[in-house]
Amino acid sequence: MSTIHEILALGPVMPVIVIDDSRQAVPLAEALLHGGLKTIEITLRTPAALDSIRAVAAACPDITIGAGTVINADLASAARNAGAAFAVSPGTTPAVIEVCRMAGLPLLPGASSVSEMMALQEAGFDAVKFFPANAAGGTGFIKSLISPLPGISVCPTGGITAATAPDWLALANVPCVGGSWVAPQADIAGGEFDAIAARAKTAAAL
Ligand code: 3PG
């Protein structure tokens, strides 16, 4: 089992996926791998999400699968049972932390304030998802944390694009960014896997 730090070190960009048809999941994961990305966050926002995680876990051992949008304890359990290697939450509740710990499922917990990050540090976390990254303060906010919270690594997501990702990745406390721009929902549904692989390649080189 990898730690969250090891997972965030797998590459500069973690694609955030919203998928409508689990049959698209393996070709999608293969396109991302082809482009050089080794992690994927499949959000639990569609009925196809858990089957998609199951399919990728079975077919693509080289990609590390996160379950995203884990907003309650039931989703954390479901993510684990489907074969996710880690969980990502947009915010954090004690129940989500507890179930992930009990299940041995590494959690990238969401936070959008200094106090939330301090509370997560007290709870034993040293990496957080900063969501919604642009709306909650942008790069200036995260840059301001480097001095007072040197022990926290941040994976920002929410509104990040190919054009703005380098600004985030230039920050010392940002090992990785997340975003849907690499594999937008419509491109997945339309089977545009060559375009996704090309964007993954650009993203992997950031
Ligand atoms: C997330 O869940 O992290 C965000 O929905 C991704 O945001 P984006 O679609 O703006 O990249």
Side-chain angles (χ1 to χ4, degrees):
M1 186 177 74
S2 304
T3 66
I4 285 294
H5 268 289
E6 288 165 345
I7 291 166
L8 295 184
L10 287 172
V13 175
M14 191 187 313
V16 176
I17 302 302
V18 180
I19 189 162
D20 297 305
D21 181 346
S22 61
R23 289 172 299 182
Q24 308 281 42
V26 170
L28 165 67
E30 285 171 346
L32 295 173
L33 278 169
H34 188 65
L37 295 178
K38 301 191 194 101
T39 51
I40 181 172
E41 178 190 331
I42 297 179
T43 60
L44 303 184
R45 295 179 201 170
T46 59
L50 289 169
D51 278 346
S52 297
I53 291 172
R54 268 187 281 272
V56 175
C60 306
D62 293 338
I63 199 157
T64 301
I65 313 163
T69 322
V70 173
I71 56 169
N72 58 48
D74 288 346
L75 288 177
S77 299
R80 182 60 177 166
N81 294 339
F86 67 105
V88 185
S89 58
T92 313
T93 67
V96 168
I97 291 176
E98 177 64 15
V99 170
C100 287
R101 280 210 171 122
M102 299 280 286
L105 186 63
L107 172 66
L108 180 64
S112 64
S113 75
V114 178
S115 296
E116 288 169 12
M117 292 183 198
M118 288 170 58
L120 286 168
Q121 208 167 26
E122 280 180 1
F125 293 92
D126 56 9
V128 301
K129 163 172 166 136
F130 177 54
F131 176 82
N134 272 357
T139 53
F141 183 97
I142 294 305
K143 189 174 183 184
S144 303
L145 301 177
I146 295 173
S147 176
L149 297 181
I152 294 245
S153 295
V154 178
C155 175
T157 79
I160 297 175
T161 65
T164 62
D167 298 338
W168 291 95
L169 290 166
L171 302 175
N173 51 354
V174 175
C176 171
V177 302
S180 61
W181 87 87
V182 176
Q185 188 173 4
D187 277 13
I188 299 169
E192 303 286 344
F193 298 118
D194 288 345
I196 290 170
R199 279 196 296 272
K201 189 172 180 191
T202 305
L206 286 174

